[in-house]
Amino acid sequence: MPSNDVRILLQAAVPTAAVGAIAAVVSGVVAGGKGAVGALVATLVVILFMGVGLYVLQRTAKLLPHLFQAMGLMLYTAQILLLFIFVAAFKNTTLFNPKAFAISIVATTLAWIGAQARAQMKAKILYVEPESSKGDRPEKTGHSS
């Protein structure tokens, strides 16, 4: 991954993990150990889904730039639907507290989206990559200006 992509991934994943840790503590206090486990599982699911999505989106931008916007919209829609499916699938689980899981998924997803948007706005990414070839340089005319 290029350095910009890694930087954006870290700038989105770290705040998401922090929000997940806070959610785990709050869930642990409110719902006990199963609440903390639910919040931690939710945080891991969000970081995994969103991280893979960011990777796929960056690869699409490089390989098929004309599909970037459509792919981004489709990818975010698919991610949100998959997160809803996860919440529905674990609605009646006894492994962890489902309410803590669901609330933590929402909180960490919002944290990821906000952090990623901030990272993208702060990144100095060129929209058009300049080419450096010999034909780009102006020829010397012998006159000094």
Side-chain angles (χ1 to χ4, degrees):
M1 279 181 109
S3 64
N4 279 336
D5 299 344
V6 172
R7 191 175 310 122
I8 290 171
L9 179 65
L10 285 174
Q11 289 177 347
V14 170
T16 303
V19 168
I22 293 168
V25 169
V26 170
S27 297
V29 169
V30 173
K34 287 191 175 194
V37 171
L40 290 174
V41 170
T43 302
L44 293 175
V45 166
V46 168
I47 290 174
L48 179 69
F49 275 24
M50 296 298 188
V52 169
L54 181 62
Y55 175 75
V56 168
L57 195 57
Q58 295 301 334
R59 295 237 342 142
T60 301
K62 286 172 183 51
L63 298 176
L64 304 166
H66 59 285
L67 293 178
F68 179 69
Q69 186 175 15
M71 183 68 169
L73 290 171
M74 191 272 314
L75 184 68
Y76 285 126
T77 303
Q79 286 174 329
I80 297 300
L81 288 174
L82 282 172
L83 290 174
F84 278 128
I85 289 169
F86 259 76
V87 169
F90 291 107
K91 180 172 67 174
N92 296 320
T93 188
T94 58
L95 298 173
F96 49 78
N97 186 305
K99 282 187 178 180
F101 177 73
I103 292 169
S104 298
I105 275 194
V106 171
T108 53
T109 299
L110 291 174
W112 180 282
I113 291 169
Q116 184 180 354
R118 183 179 187 275
Q120 290 283 359
M121 287 188 311
K122 291 202 157 270
K124 304 279 192 250
I125 300 173
L126 297 173
Y127 290 100
V128 177
E129 302 251 352
E131 292 184 30
S132 60
S133 64
K134 292 181 181 178
D136 291 345
R137 294 183 190 160
E139 293 182 26
K140 294 186 178 181
T141 60
H143 298 286
S144 59
S145 337

